[in-house]
Amino acid sequence: MNADERQHQIVALARRQGEVDVAKLAAELTVSAETIRRDLRLLEKHGLLRRTHGGAYPVETAKFETDLAMRTTRGVPEKRRIAAAAVGLIGDAETIFIDEGFTPQLIAEALPIDRPLTVVTASLNTAAWLSTNTPATVLLLGGRVRGRTLATVDHWASSMLAGFVLDLAFVGANGISREVGLTTPDPAVADVKARAVRAARRRIFVGMHTKFGVRTFCRFAEISDFESLVTDTGLPASEAHRYSRLGPQVIRV
């Protein structure tokens, strides 16, 4: 197996498993750990993987996006802390948009149930959970359902959002960077997110530190559009300060 074939296999494994480990890759591909580390550095340079201590995970692109099932297995404690901190910022909001994805779903589960709330969402899972477990009024956006995330997109969803005036939007992203703002691989998803940002009086970004510094295909918002960015302590304090200089409060939990 030459280097190109080995690197292609590493990316395929990372996308299938959600992450890869240097030692396991070295054993499986019968090369040294240092060879694998060189491969990972090169793949990170090409924007296909992000390295971690001892391994790497795949970067989402226009051709690859993790599905909801994979997202429910990674960083769950951190995502729960992010969700709890984000819910603490609701203030007097009564009409709320909750984005697709697992962390926003955890936000829905943490919403207060002792006050009247109207929740707008594109997520089938979030709508079902809220309708079953809370007294909230739930509005599910119409449209085509994406099997990867179980969320609605296209002009039906965008048209519904265009008619709303919302107090608060909890928005996720596949990537957030100081240079290009918030991005996602799919243009249809980007349009729904952009409409939600425009419809809301206040906007809060929620996402793990692994989203920061990542750029994907479609930009849908600027960092300055958000009052707060809520993430975990994996984002260095120095980097959080750089983002805060663009306008939002950065909360690390």
Side-chain angles (χ1 to χ4, degrees):
M1 183 183 298
N2 63 34
D4 286 344
E5 292 170 334
R6 186 176 62 247
Q7 290 156 16
H8 178 80
Q9 188 163 343
I10 290 171
V11 172
L13 284 169
R15 289 177 172 179
R16 186 165 62 248
Q17 299 170 179
E19 59 187 339
V20 288
D21 176 86
V22 169
K24 291 180 180 178
L25 284 174
E28 184 171 342
L29 301 176
T30 61
V31 295
S32 69
E34 183 52 40
T35 295
I36 295 297
R37 293 190 188 96
R38 283 198 299 270
D39 287 338
L40 296 183
R41 285 195 292 269
L42 182 62
L43 291 168
E44 184 176 52
K45 182 178 179 181
H46 290 320
L48 295 171
L49 298 180
R50 288 287 295 272
R51 286 182 298 156
T52 62
H53 181 70
Y57 61 89
V59 170
E60 294 177 307
T61 68
K63 294 183 178 180
F64 168 76
E65 183 183 2
T66 56
D67 60 24
L68 193 58
M70 186 179 293
R71 298 178 196 183
T72 63
T73 64
R74 297 184 58 201
V76 176
E78 292 89 346
K79 290 174 180 177
R80 290 195 183 279
R81 292 200 303 270
I82 291 168
V87 168
L89 302 175
I90 283 180
D92 61 356
E94 296 180 352
T95 55
I96 298 171
F97 172 80
I98 297 181
D99 205 354
E100 65 170 53
F102 183 57
T103 303
Q105 185 177 320
L106 295 176
I107 288 175
E109 295 176 11
L111 287 176
I113 60 174
D114 59 349
R115 52 190 284 192
L117 293 175
T118 297
V119 178
V120 178
T121 185
S123 167
L124 275 65
N125 284 353
T126 294
W129 193 92
L130 287 169
S131 297
T132 304
N133 296 283
T134 76
T137 299
V138 182
L139 300 179
L140 176 63
L141 299 177
R144 173 174 60 89
V145 178
R146 298 178 74 235
R148 187 165 290 279
T149 59
L150 294 180
T152 56
V153 292
D154 292 339
H155 68 272
W156 299 276
S158 299
S159 296
M160 285 184 70
L161 275 170
F164 295 143
V165 179
L166 302 169
D167 293 328
L168 174 63
F170 290 113
V171 180
N174 300 75
I176 175 172
S177 74
R178 289 182 282 116
E179 294 78 16
V180 301
L182 283 74
T183 57
T184 193
D186 190 313
V189 175
D191 186 56
V192 172
K193 291 176 183 286
R195 296 272 187 167
V197 168
R198 288 200 292 270
R201 177 171 55 90
R202 299 169 52 212
R203 307 106 178 177
I204 294 172
F205 166 80
V206 290
M208 288 186 63
H209 73 279
T210 53
K211 306 289 187 180
F212 285 76
V214 174
R215 310 178 188 190
T216 58
F217 184 50
C218 301
R219 176 167 55 190
F220 65 86
E222 303 291 341
I223 290 172
S224 59
D225 292 329
F226 291 79
E227 67 173 48
S228 300
L229 311 179
V230 186
T231 187
D232 61 275
T233 54
L235 183 72
S238 57
E239 190 66 7
H241 177 68
R242 294 186 184 98
Y243 279 87
S244 70
R245 293 179 65 182
L246 298 176
Q249 173 190 23
V250 181
I251 300 172
R252 300 158 63 242
V253 294

